[in-house]
Amino acid sequence: MKDAALALIDIGANLTHESFRPDFDAVLERARAHGVDQVVVTGASAGSSRAAHALAQAHPGFLHATAGVHPHHAHEYDDATDELLRQLVATPEVKAVGETGLDYYRNYSPHAAQVAAFERQLAIALDCGKPLFLHQRDAHADFLACLDAVRGRIARAVVHCFTGERAELVDYLDRDCYIGITGWICDERRGQHLRELVRLVPADRLMIETDAPYLLPRDLHPKPSHRRNEPMYLAHVCAAVAAARGETIEQTAASTRANSRAFFTL
Ligand SMILES: [Zn+2]
């Protein structure tokens, strides 16, 4: 395997997840051995944002953090959360505001609470000037309306784990958003449309991510005995994206890396 020859940046890994606690250092070792030399650790709640920041502090230059509240946790968003996020995004380790957005698929929080939390985090991004790490599922119209309200005033935005349809992709690209692609593209059933759509993403708007511990690529051989995804599999995602786009792995690795460094100022 020549993964180590690549230099990859995982823009979305939930390394604060409890499943990583038993072997955290080994997870980082394996990531490095498979060419991943920087990881942006996703903050998705008050607690995990604080934890992501601590991880980035403990691993300078290798781990970075975002700070935000995922729409699943929007009902927890209060003034104290807002204050905490504002403190975290002011630190050098936190590179983006998010994960934030709307998720009307799971509906773990009421729509009104999701919109309110999203709007407050958009306001944080406006104030701090850092880019946005965004999540959208089954909420495209409301999501666009929120984004359009701040259009032209936010620094940059990435729609992470894009799995949507062509019209959604076009809307994001029209708004100059970056697109994050996960191992969803490796799924023979659900990922087929994504292999065609990913060709439409300009090379300077594309980034890659594992979304670990979620979204273990379905076509790994051999399959790990556990079902946990981890950053070491980013090279596998990169290869799938490259194949879909008709690029070499090295080309996709280089362009997504350059985009990630510019986007997150790594
Ligand atoms: Zn997400």
Side-chain angles (χ1 to χ4, degrees), residues 70 99 133-136 160-161 211:
H70 191 284
E99 176 171 0
F133 187 83
L134 299 173
H135 171 106
Q136 188 281 117
H160 112 100
C161 191
D211 205 27

Tab-separated table of all heavy atoms in Angstrom, residues 70 99 133-136 160-161 211, ligand 1:
chain	number	residue	atom	x	y	z
A	70	HIS	N	-24.550	20.757	16.149
A	70	HIS	CA	-25.247	20.041	15.082
A	70	HIS	C	-26.757	20.219	15.243
A	70	HIS	O	-27.247	20.331	16.377
A	70	HIS	CB	-24.869	18.555	15.217
A	70	HIS	CG	-25.282	17.701	14.072
A	70	HIS	ND1	-26.582	17.289	13.872
A	70	HIS	CD2	-24.561	17.164	13.056
A	70	HIS	CE1	-26.636	16.535	12.787
A	70	HIS	NE2	-25.421	16.452	12.273
A	99	GLU	N	-20.024	22.005	13.452
A	99	GLU	CA	-20.999	21.641	12.463
A	99	GLU	C	-22.335	22.259	12.817
A	99	GLU	O	-22.853	22.081	13.930
A	99	GLU	CB	-21.095	20.105	12.396
A	99	GLU	CG	-22.132	19.579	11.469
A	99	GLU	CD	-21.999	18.064	11.303
A	99	GLU	OE1	-21.106	17.433	11.902
A	99	GLU	OE2	-22.814	17.511	10.542
A	133	PHE	N	-18.732	25.233	8.571
A	133	PHE	CA	-18.757	23.793	8.304
A	133	PHE	C	-20.216	23.361	8.453
A	133	PHE	O	-20.764	23.339	9.561
A	133	PHE	CB	-17.854	23.071	9.313
A	133	PHE	CG	-17.663	21.601	9.052
A	133	PHE	CD1	-16.718	21.154	8.136
A	133	PHE	CD2	-18.420	20.660	9.730
A	133	PHE	CE1	-16.530	19.800	7.900
A	133	PHE	CE2	-18.234	19.299	9.500
A	133	PHE	CZ	-17.285	18.876	8.586
A	134	LEU	N	-20.847	23.046	7.324
A	134	LEU	CA	-22.314	22.957	7.269
A	134	LEU	C	-22.834	21.544	7.020
A	134	LEU	O	-22.209	20.762	6.294
A	134	LEU	CB	-22.836	23.864	6.161
A	134	LEU	CG	-22.512	25.358	6.313
A	134	LEU	CD1	-22.945	26.112	5.066
A	134	LEU	CD2	-23.201	25.919	7.555
A	135	HIS	N	-23.989	21.274	7.604
A	135	HIS	CA	-24.688	19.994	7.454
A	135	HIS	C	-26.108	20.290	6.980
A	135	HIS	O	-26.794	21.130	7.546
A	135	HIS	CB	-24.721	19.283	8.812
A	135	HIS	CG	-25.584	18.060	8.867
A	135	HIS	ND1	-25.065	16.779	8.901
A	135	HIS	CD2	-26.931	17.917	8.903
A	135	HIS	CE1	-26.057	15.901	8.958
A	135	HIS	NE2	-27.204	16.562	8.960
A	136	GLN	N	-26.544	19.577	5.946
A	136	GLN	CA	-27.918	19.730	5.465
A	136	GLN	C	-28.454	18.377	5.052
A	136	GLN	O	-27.825	17.654	4.291
A	136	GLN	CB	-27.952	20.695	4.272
A	136	GLN	CG	-29.341	21.087	3.788
A	136	GLN	CD	-30.030	20.039	2.901
A	136	GLN	OE1	-31.074	19.486	3.255
A	136	GLN	NE2	-29.423	19.739	1.775
A	160	HIS	N	-20.642	19.871	4.175
A	160	HIS	CA	-19.919	18.635	4.449
A	160	HIS	C	-20.822	17.432	4.174
A	160	HIS	O	-22.037	17.527	4.219
A	160	HIS	CB	-19.379	18.660	5.892
A	160	HIS	CG	-20.011	17.696	6.814
A	160	HIS	ND1	-19.417	16.493	7.139
A	160	HIS	CD2	-21.188	17.730	7.453
A	160	HIS	CE1	-20.220	15.851	7.964
A	160	HIS	NE2	-21.291	16.559	8.180
A	161	CYS	N	-20.174	16.312	3.872
A	161	CYS	CA	-20.889	15.057	3.598
A	161	CYS	C	-22.023	15.269	2.599
A	161	CYS	O	-23.167	14.917	2.852
A	161	CYS	CB	-21.415	14.435	4.890
A	161	CYS	SG	-22.024	12.740	4.645
A	211	ASP	N	-15.823	11.547	8.107
A	211	ASP	CA	-16.961	11.616	9.034
A	211	ASP	C	-16.888	10.488	10.073
A	211	ASP	O	-17.899	10.062	10.618
A	211	ASP	CB	-18.309	11.594	8.304
A	211	ASP	CG	-19.428	12.254	9.110
A	211	ASP	OD1	-19.135	13.130	9.937
A	211	ASP	OD2	-20.602	11.876	8.911
B	1	ZN	ZN	-23.085	16.089	9.289
